[in-house]
Amino acid sequence: MSEILTFLKTIEEEARSAIEKADDKTALDNVAYSYLGRKGKLAEVSRGFGKLDPGIRPRVGSRLNELKKTLNELITQKAGALTSVLESKDVFDYTLPGKRSPVGRRHPLMQTADRMVQIFRGMGFSVATGPDIDTEFINFDALNTPEDHPARDLSDTFYIKKGILLRPHTSTVQVRTMMAQKPPVRIISPGRCYRSDAPDASHSPVFYQCEGLYVDERVTFGDLKGAIIQFARDMFGPGIKVRFRPHFFPFTEPSAEYDFSCMICGGNGCRVCKNSGWLEISGAGMVDPEVFRAVGYDPGKVTGYAFGMGVDRITMLRYRIGDIRLLYENDVRFLRQF
Amino acid sequence: MKISVNLLRELIDFEWSAERLVENLTMSGSEVEAVEQKGNDIQGILAAKVIEVAKIEGSDKLTCCTVFDGREKIDVVCGAPNVAHDQVVLFAPVDSRIPGSTLEKAKIAGKESAGMILSEAELQLSENAGEIAVLPDDIKPGTPLEKIVDYKDTILQLEITPNRPDCLSHIGIAREVQALGGGKLKMPDVKLAESDIPASGAVKIVIDNPRGCPRYTGRVIRNVKIGPSPLWLKMMVYYLDMRPINNVVDITNYVMLELGHPLHAFDFDLFKKPEVVVRNASDGEKFITLDEVERTLNSNHLLITDSVSGVAVAGIMGGELSEVSEKTSNILLESAYFDPVIIRRGSKALGLATESSRRFERGADPEMAPFANNRACKLISEIAGGENLSGVVDAYPAPLVPVEIDFKPENINSLLGTKLSANAMCDILKGLDIDTRNGDSYKAIQPSFRPDLTREVDLSEEIARIHGFENIPPVFRPGGALGAEETKLQRLTRDIESYLTGAGGTEVFSLTLVDSNLTRRLGLLESSVTVMNPLSEELAAVRPSLLLSMLPVLRRNINFKERDLFLYELGDIYLPSDQEELPLQQIRLAIGLSGYEAPVFWGEKQRKIDFFTIKGLVENLADYLKLGTINLRPEPHFAFDKSRSFVVYINDNNIGYLGSLSEECLKIADIKEEVLFAEFDMQKIESLVPDSLAAKEVDRFPSADRDIAIVIDENIGAEEIRSEIINSSVGFADDVRIFDLYHGKNIPESKKSLAFSIKYRLPDRTLTDEEVDDVHGKIADVLKMKFGAELRS
């Protein structure tokens, strides 16, 4: 037997043992590469083919092909064995994470605003919007705000120029709607508002409100209570209680502040509600006749209620958020929770 | 406003507990913000007499005192400079309690000390900390503190709304308690001893501006002795958050807290003439107020003068030169009524708000002026001695006429949703000391202490709050449409949000006020709306593009190592307008991407975000909204890299722009990652969204799928080839996709290889192989001819 055939025999033995020993896919790939690859041992023999004695060439050739075929078969067989081991019950690692496509999140403020809109829409309110930058007339005069009221001060409100300002409430939308449309009117107006408050845990110079207005014949304070109570129950659950306390606003009479029973402690008293069991939500009241006069409605014919509501405030209560700035920083680590 | 429950009980005898009082006041509009218990931690304090005072060797301050507490003599060490033989003092024996500690035997400077002689501050009865409290001589040693002064009190912190100046007083709150059924209000005693000399001969009052000062009353008291107030008075003033000064000043403050009417005491001897002239100040007139500040007045300020020079800025603060001091013996006591507007403007112009100005600018009670004057003079003569000249000198040129308010009980019921009888309403008003008349109609007479009540609707609020908001039944109305349908834009917004969120986007909601520096450096400040009085430069511009608020959000997250970002925001932007009064407001949609596309999982490679990621996202969005096909046209944009800057078109409608932020822009925004950004005009998108959709049937015949790969000049756009394939397929090509793009080996330089997969299909029949081969071949020919394409096998 020629030297070359003996060499092929040795290669075969080595290869068989290497295939046998390969205990994972990578090891097997390496074996395949080192024997059958372009720079593998068999390829090396093939490259020296031309230098062989012509008499022996056919035998070496057929032996080479035979060996390639054998090794290929062995490797395929072994690969099959390896795979079946991998997929057998014992080794299949189902704890590897699932391959998830990325999922986005809606901003918690917007989720809350949507929920609020949904609730009020169910009560027959439509959504009205208006400009963030508006006139002093729409912002204050039409809302019966005295000329020297502190809300008009430069220290409280951002002005663009004299008489034009960034609205401190979305009551502007109520005024604009009433000026454009005859009663009945039943709207909510979500939108950004602006006040010259330095940012801290409970203040943001830009914040998000959703005010409501219902004007018709015979709208009563009882209707106002009903709307707010219904909202509270829908938003925070049927167990929530609402109370109305008299207050003062230039644009409503009677005026009220309304509180929800603390949803964190169930009204028993905790840090969030300062042990009172109540959380102050916002202001409300019956639209002042002066406001009706300013927009051209006849206060002798219609009555109406209006209420404020902070979307930020509701969001913070809904998700137990302690600092309003978290809502406006847009840190994705925070936003991913919702 | 702070309310002492003890003082309140002097004005109205109510049986409620403090808790009930708090609840009732809160629910009727005087919100109790805090409740403070006074004197709870004081126990066993009594009066004692100092019998002996001996210096302690080696100490300049300490003395060893022997006191008699009514039963025994006790030695204590005392550090107060004013301790003296024979004084009656407040004494804390061993085991007694003062705020913060329980007394124990101690050894001070080598001396046994079995107790402590107290200052008022140590008992938190007042603030005089440096000296011990000295009691009147007639108090017997051994008298317990509670017999000397009623120091146990409950102090309520109330939030009084600006429409209720009457509630800035104990009498006002007592009236609320009366209205709520707590009892009957008792006005304090004002019977005072007077001399035979009439005050009208001692002072002349002239009002130059009766609109600014409708009423001015004065009383004169002679030979008062100025000194510290008695303990009860000091304590009450101190409990109610004012500083005890001296007996006369403390009395004026006490009466203000009791009756709500601000008073001012002048040292009458310092008047250059025995006259009061109330006039407007002249512009630039200088005046030194009590706080030793020289103020410059203007003609809107009301000045009290002695006809020669100013003695007080009316209703705001007295003058230094006529201030009551230890030397004072003759007093002129002012109790006036000033116009709210003049005081509010004056106080604002001076930047000076006082307890007095706070009450006048909300509206004091003109009818209370003489009463408060009498009340204070009674207390002054009782406490500081002196002789009241007889009578109040009262300048009231045009007495204010109370408003008569017509009201209809049915109107009030229909506003409130109540069924109260007219009598019930009148009873509520009576409780508030509002008289009513019932002739042809109902009338309520506005009380002088209620400037806020002028209309029927104002009465309805009074009735509602005393009746109790909680007693008005809520009404649950059925919904019913009042135009409650969504607008197209509202629906579209929801669609976009749900698409982008589903695609992996995180919604951002940012402030519309943005950094004016960033805006300027991006070259947009000139074309932005700016705030006249911003809080800071960071909040001084109103965003002209969502990019301005998106950049800081990207920076923040990237700095926190959250580099794989897909953010979107739907929000308003603002642009200055030449034609309109108000700036232009537009709703826009912004998308910002950075980092890698998706989280990496085992056995997969992560894909870095690139231009085609955002393009694909926008193409998908357009598809989802049924806008039509997106076309990009290269156009420079201030924020984008020159070669990655495009305007987005649907047909010929420019809907926005997209691109890759330039290095320059990233540097300005301090962002250390590649960012892709797009911004769209929502109104334009809205106009392109079809209002309705007609569904197509699905194809029923199988397709024949063929691939074609060509090598062409690299300047030829892929889309151009793709359209050509569709055009030359005689309607057979149903779908043409690019599945490979290759540069490099085997491809000549400045050429590229593109591979397309073509789906041939007809809606009405199956194509034969021959037909498909034929068209496929023709397409290859066209590509060869038109683009010089070379076919790859």
Side-chain angles (χ1 to χ4, degrees):
Chain A
M1 215 202 274
S2 85
E3 208 176 315
I4 185 74
L5 289 175
T6 318
F7 181 56
L8 284 176
K9 180 88 187 145
T10 320
I11 289 177
E12 183 177 349
E13 275 159 20
E14 277 173 24
R16 277 176 182 274
S17 127
I19 291 166
E20 185 67 26
K21 279 185 199 146
D23 53 5
D24 63 25
K25 193 86 181 29
T26 321
L28 189 64
D29 283 348
N30 287 338
V31 174
Y33 184 76
S34 61
Y35 290 92
L36 299 170
R38 257 183 333 116
K39 290 178 179 171
K41 291 189 176 156
L42 297 190
E44 206 175 305
V45 175
S46 303
R47 273 197 290 278
F49 197 71
K51 291 176 193 157
L52 291 177
D53 175 355
I56 203 167
R57 280 184 203 169
R59 275 190 64 197
V60 174
S62 78
R63 178 77 182 102
L64 258 177
N65 285 337
E66 192 186 310
L67 186 54
K68 265 186 206 164
K69 204 178 152 203
T70 313
L71 292 184
N72 261 322
E73 273 167 13
L74 283 171
I75 286 167
T76 312
Q77 217 176 345
K78 178 73 183 186
L82 279 177
T83 311
S84 65
V85 168
L86 195 81
E87 284 176 359
S88 79
K89 239 187 200 164
D90 302 331
V91 185
F92 172 66
D93 185 0
Y94 64 91
T95 67
L96 281 167
K99 296 179 180 176
R100 315 204 302 194
S101 13
V103 173
R105 301 297 152 116
R106 295 216 50 215
H107 195 283
L109 263 180
M110 297 292 97
Q111 291 192 29
T112 305
D114 278 4
R115 180 86 188 98
M116 288 167 70
V117 166
Q118 197 183 16
I119 293 169
F120 282 115
R121 214 188 274 285
M123 293 188 225
F125 285 81
S126 56
V127 176
T129 54
D132 291 22
I133 300 169
D134 215 328
T135 63
E136 198 168 344
F137 175 80
I138 299 276
N139 271 287
F140 295 125
D141 299 328
L143 288 163
N144 194 34
T145 312
E147 216 169 288
D148 45 11
H149 194 277
R152 297 191 190 227
D153 287 355
L154 284 171
S155 58
D156 280 38
T157 295
F158 293 122
Y159 281 79
I160 300 301
K161 58 182 183 196
K162 197 175 175 342
I164 307 287
L165 54 110
L166 284 155
R167 65 180 180 199
H169 43 221
T170 61
S171 310
T172 51
V173 180
Q174 305 181 350
V175 172
R176 284 179 170 276
T177 306
M178 287 192 283
M179 284 166 76
Q181 177 186 332
K182 289 211 167 349
V185 166
R186 186 154 56 185
I187 54 161
I188 50 167
S189 48
R192 284 182 172 84
C193 301
Y194 305 78
R195 272 175 214 173
S196 190
D197 290 325
D200 65 24
S202 43
H203 296 92
S204 172
V206 185
F207 54 101
Y208 203 68
Q209 276 208 317
C210 178
E211 293 182 17
L213 172 77
Y214 179 25
V215 181
D216 203 344
E217 288 169 13
R218 296 178 186 286
V219 176
T220 70
F221 192 86
D223 289 316
L224 166 65
K225 283 186 72 175
I228 300 287
I229 291 170
Q230 196 175 332
F231 169 81
R233 289 178 184 164
D234 215 341
M235 190 80 201
F236 291 106
I240 213 85
K241 291 193 193 69
V242 181
R243 71 172 192 185
F244 290 76
R245 288 176 287 106
H247 202 71
F248 171 73
F249 303 107
F251 31 84
T252 48
E253 188 83 15
S255 301
E257 272 188 335
Y258 61 93
D259 306 333
F260 290 171
S261 58
C262 181
M263 57 284 306
I264 288 148
C265 61
N268 297 322
C270 67
R271 196 180 50 82
V272 177
C273 63
K274 295 182 192 117
N275 284 317
S276 69
W278 294 99
L279 294 162
E280 194 174 313
I281 302 298
S282 190
M286 302 306 291
V287 178
D288 196 287
E290 291 309 314
V291 175
F292 285 145
R293 278 189 197 103
V295 299
Y297 282 12
D298 179 357
K301 288 203 175 132
V302 291
T303 53
Y305 64 73
F307 59 84
M309 205 174 272
V311 181
D312 338 53
R313 176 92 173 128
I314 302 288
T315 306
M316 289 169 78
L317 293 174
R318 195 178 180 207
Y319 299 117
R320 320 267 200 273
I321 297 168
D323 191 327
I324 194 171
R325 289 169 292 194
L326 285 165
L327 292 174
Y328 297 103
E329 280 169 354
N330 293 295
D331 190 313
V332 293
R333 294 168 301 170
F334 175 74
L335 298 178
R336 248 180 239 139
Q337 304 172 78
F338 300 96
Chain B
M1 173 71 195
K2 283 200 169 172
I3 290 292
S4 147
V5 173
N6 286 352
L7 180 49
L8 190 64
R9 284 191 196 277
E10 285 178 28
L11 298 170
I12 185 163
D13 197 6
F14 57 96
E15 282 176 3
W16 304 338
S17 64
E19 291 72 28
R20 176 97 189 274
L21 176 68
V22 165
E23 174 75 9
N24 287 350
L25 288 177
T26 297
M27 295 312 287
S28 61
S30 309
E31 191 188 353
V32 180
E33 293 177 313
V35 179
E36 199 186 342
Q37 297 298 338
K38 294 285 191 183
N40 263 1
D41 33 16
I42 295 175
Q43 206 174 31
I45 309 303
L46 38 85
K49 190 157 191 154
V50 180
I51 300 171
E52 218 179 301
V53 181
K55 282 256 168 212
I56 292 179
E57 293 273 325
S59 167
D60 352 327
K61 285 181 190 158
L62 297 180
T63 52
C64 183
C65 304
T66 308
V67 299
F68 176 64
D69 73 352
R71 284 186 300 144
E72 54 180 338
K73 291 177 184 173
I74 301 164
D75 286 343
V76 289
V77 176
C78 180
N82 65 324
V83 67
H85 187 247
D86 265 1
Q87 280 171 337
V88 179
V89 294
L90 285 172
F91 180 65
V94 169
D95 292 336
S96 68
R97 274 175 47 208
I98 62 171
S101 62
T102 299
L103 269 291
E104 285 169 17
K105 271 197 177 141
K107 206 164 195 175
I108 302 163
K111 299 275 179 187
E112 290 282 340
S113 182
M116 189 171 169
I117 302 176
L118 299 165
S119 69
E120 288 154 8
E122 275 155 340
L123 290 170
Q124 293 175 2
L125 301 179
S126 177
E127 60 179 10
N128 185 0
E131 296 187 338
I132 54 162
V134 180
L135 301 175
D137 293 343
D138 58 0
I139 293 177
K140 285 205 176 77
T143 312
L145 179 60
E146 42 272 43
K147 293 265 168 69
I148 301 167
V149 68
D150 196 5
Y151 66 89
K152 280 200 181 180
D153 201 350
T154 304
I155 305 295
L156 310 179
Q157 172 73 48
L158 301 188
E159 187 203 341
I160 303 298
T161 51
N163 60 325
R164 294 299 303 276
D166 62 307
C167 284
L168 294 172
S169 69
H170 284 71
I171 201 89
I173 297 300
R175 191 175 285 116
E176 291 288 297
V177 173
Q178 167 179 281
L180 294 164
K184 178 104 181 76
L185 177 67
K186 300 174 288 191
M187 291 303 275
D189 186 10
V190 291
K191 267 182 246 137
L192 71 172
E194 292 180 325
S195 76
D196 296 338
I197 308 163
S200 53
V203 63
K204 191 175 130 199
I205 297 171
V206 178
I207 300 173
D208 258 9
N209 176 356
R211 207 181 51 79
C213 175
R215 188 173 203 179
Y216 195 103
T217 74
R219 285 200 76 119
V220 178
I221 317 153
R222 286 192 176 149
N223 300 320
V224 295
K225 198 170 173 320
I226 306 294
S229 294
L231 189 55
W232 71 265
L233 178 56
K234 261 197 236 182
M235 185 190 73
M236 186 54 76
V237 168
Y238 180 72
Y239 276 6
L240 299 175
D241 260 7
M242 298 195 75
R243 286 187 61 189
I245 311 274
N246 60 44
N247 46 14
V248 169
V249 173
D250 292 350
I251 288 166
T252 59
N253 283 334
Y254 178 82
V255 172
M256 175 181 72
L257 296 167
E258 183 183 49
L259 302 177
H261 203 88
L263 303 164
H264 188 70
F266 295 102
D267 185 332
F268 201 29
D269 293 332
L270 298 175
F271 273 41
K272 295 188 179 80
K273 279 187 175 175
E275 282 181 29
V276 169
V277 175
V278 187
R279 64 160 169 89
N280 282 30
S282 41
D283 278 324
E285 189 167 354
K286 305 275 189 210
F287 182 72
I288 301 172
T289 41
L290 275 177
D291 51 2
E292 295 169 29
V293 178
E294 189 185 70
R295 316 257 173 193
T296 306
L297 310 178
N298 63 45
S299 57
N300 291 326
H301 287 117
L302 206 55
L303 193 66
I304 312 293
T305 72
D306 57 9
S307 84
V308 180
S309 50
V311 292
V313 186
I316 302 175
M317 195 179 264
E320 195 195 16
L321 295 175
S322 57
E323 187 181 358
V324 170
S325 70
E326 281 166 30
K327 293 175 202 141
T328 304
S329 72
N330 295 321
I331 283 174
L332 170 71
L333 194 72
E334 165 198 292
S335 177
Y337 171 75
F338 301 110
D339 174 56
V341 175
I342 227 168
I343 301 300
R344 195 177 312 140
R345 298 217 172 121
S347 157
K348 209 167 154 183
L350 288 176
L352 181 63
T354 60
E355 289 294 323
S356 169
S357 69
R358 220 154 67 86
R359 286 174 172 81
F360 280 123
E361 71 180 27
R362 284 168 172 76
D365 175 4
E367 304 310 324
M368 181 56 89
F371 187 90
N373 207 330
N374 288 337
R375 172 74 177 147
C377 285
K378 173 187 161 68
L379 292 174
I380 289 173
S381 56
E382 282 170 8
I383 289 167
E387 164 191 31
N388 283 308
L389 300 198
S390 76
V392 178
V393 185
D394 188 355
Y396 195 12
L400 299 175
V401 183
V403 178
E404 290 190 356
I405 311 160
D406 289 320
F407 71 98
K408 292 199 177 97
E410 62 270 28
N411 283 358
I412 291 176
N413 275 329
S414 76
L415 182 71
L416 301 179
T418 48
K419 290 178 181 133
L420 293 168
S421 67
N423 278 343
M425 291 185 188
C426 292
D427 282 349
I428 285 174
L429 296 175
K430 196 175 166 211
L432 290 162
D433 290 338
I434 302 168
D435 287 336
T436 50
R437 279 179 212 147
N438 179 11
D440 298 339
S441 66
Y442 286 90
K443 278 185 201 304
I445 315 302
Q446 179 196 26
S448 58
F449 50 83
R450 291 299 302 271
D452 58 316
L453 302 182
T454 56
R455 309 168 299 171
E456 179 186 73
V457 71
D458 301 326
L459 298 178
S460 76
E461 178 170 76
E462 295 307 295
I463 288 160
R465 67 184 189 86
I466 300 300
H467 176 60
F469 281 2
E470 68 275 22
N471 295 321
I472 299 175
V475 176
F476 299 96
R477 285 214 186 193
L482 262 181
E485 60 276 351
E486 274 186 311
T487 62
K488 187 177 175 186
L489 186 64
Q490 285 161 0
R491 250 182 306 134
L492 172 65
T493 304
R494 270 197 303 119
D495 281 352
I496 291 181
E497 282 159 350
S498 63
Y499 165 71
L500 288 172
T501 309
T506 297
E507 187 182 27
V508 158
F509 187 86
S510 49
L511 300 190
T512 34
L513 296 181
V514 294
D515 191 337
S516 57
N517 255 323
L518 181 66
T519 314
R520 197 191 56 243
R521 294 182 66 196
L522 289 171
L524 292 179
L525 195 58
E526 295 293 303
S527 52
S528 295
V529 178
T530 52
V531 180
M532 200 171 90
N533 54 331
L535 270 178
S536 66
E537 276 195 346
E538 285 82 39
L539 299 165
V542 193
R543 63 183 180 195
S545 155
L546 297 182
L547 180 66
L548 270 304
S549 47
M550 183 73 86
L551 286 175
V553 173
L554 288 160
R555 177 180 57 216
R556 180 194 166 86
N557 283 295
I558 289 167
N559 285 350
F560 276 112
K561 298 208 163 57
E562 288 291 337
R563 298 190 185 98
D564 304 338
L565 297 170
F566 171 4
L567 306 175
Y568 74 91
E569 175 162 19
L570 268 155
D572 294 301
I573 62 107
Y574 311 82
L575 299 168
S577 166
D578 295 334
Q579 290 91 42
E580 302 290 325
E581 186 183 22
L582 298 176
L584 225 69
Q585 182 166 347
Q586 282 182 358
I587 308 182
R588 291 207 180 160
L589 163 67
I591 300 171
L593 302 175
S594 82
Y596 286 86
E597 268 181 33
V600 71
F601 288 100
W602 46 282
E604 278 181 357
K605 267 202 180 142
Q606 235 182 337
R607 283 203 298 183
K608 187 135 176 60
I609 270 159
D610 65 14
F611 175 80
F612 294 99
T613 318
I614 198 158
K615 187 182 175 194
L617 197 60
V618 171
E619 284 170 334
N620 256 352
L621 178 63
D623 205 30
Y624 185 81
L625 300 175
K626 297 147 200 95
L627 294 180
T629 312
I630 293 278
N631 295 307
L632 299 187
R633 297 189 197 162
E635 208 165 287
H637 181 272
F638 68 92
F640 289 155
D641 188 285
K642 283 194 193 69
S643 63
R644 300 278 187 279
S645 180
F646 300 91
V647 172
V648 182
Y649 285 87
I650 303 276
N651 300 323
D652 276 331
N653 302 294
N654 165 349
I655 61 163
Y657 55 90
L658 70 76
S660 176
L661 294 188
S662 67
E663 272 180 36
E664 168 83 18
C665 172
L666 291 172
K667 209 174 127 197
I668 290 170
D670 190 22
I671 293 174
K672 293 175 185 75
E673 281 282 323
E674 188 186 347
V675 171
L676 292 143
F677 183 79
E679 185 168 11
F680 302 99
D681 182 336
M682 286 290 291
Q683 259 113 11
K684 292 203 178 137
I685 293 183
E686 183 195 0
S687 69
L688 293 168
V689 170
D691 289 318
S692 60
L693 174 77
K696 275 191 282 189
E697 281 190 31
V698 291
D699 293 319
R700 290 161 195 279
F701 298 93
S703 64
D705 301 348
R706 300 286 160 91
D707 295 346
I708 185 167
I710 53 169
V711 174
I712 48 155
D713 201 283
E714 71 180 357
N715 292 328
I716 302 170
E719 182 55 31
E720 210 178 325
I721 312 265
R722 205 185 73 95
S723 326
E724 190 55 53
I725 293 174
I726 295 169
N727 287 341
S728 14
S729 75
V730 294
F732 286 11
D734 187 41
D735 189 17
V736 180
R737 281 172 202 216
I738 297 165
F739 71 90
D740 191 37
L741 165 68
Y742 179 68
H743 288 271
K745 213 176 161 193
N746 298 332
I747 305 292
E749 230 172 85
S750 79
K751 298 260 178 190
K752 64 184 167 193
S753 158
L754 270 175
F756 298 84
S757 117
I758 308 170
K759 224 176 239 311
Y760 294 102
R761 174 160 44 200
L762 286 180
D764 51 354
R765 65 180 175 88
T766 309
L767 284 161
T768 62
D769 279 354
E770 291 72 31
E771 282 174 311
V772 173
D773 289 343
D774 191 38
V775 171
H776 199 65
K778 270 185 195 147
I779 288 172
D781 291 344
V782 171
L783 297 183
K784 269 186 221 167
M785 264 173 36
K786 264 208 154 158
F787 302 110
E790 193 184 308
L791 237 51
R792 295 186 80 202
S793 49

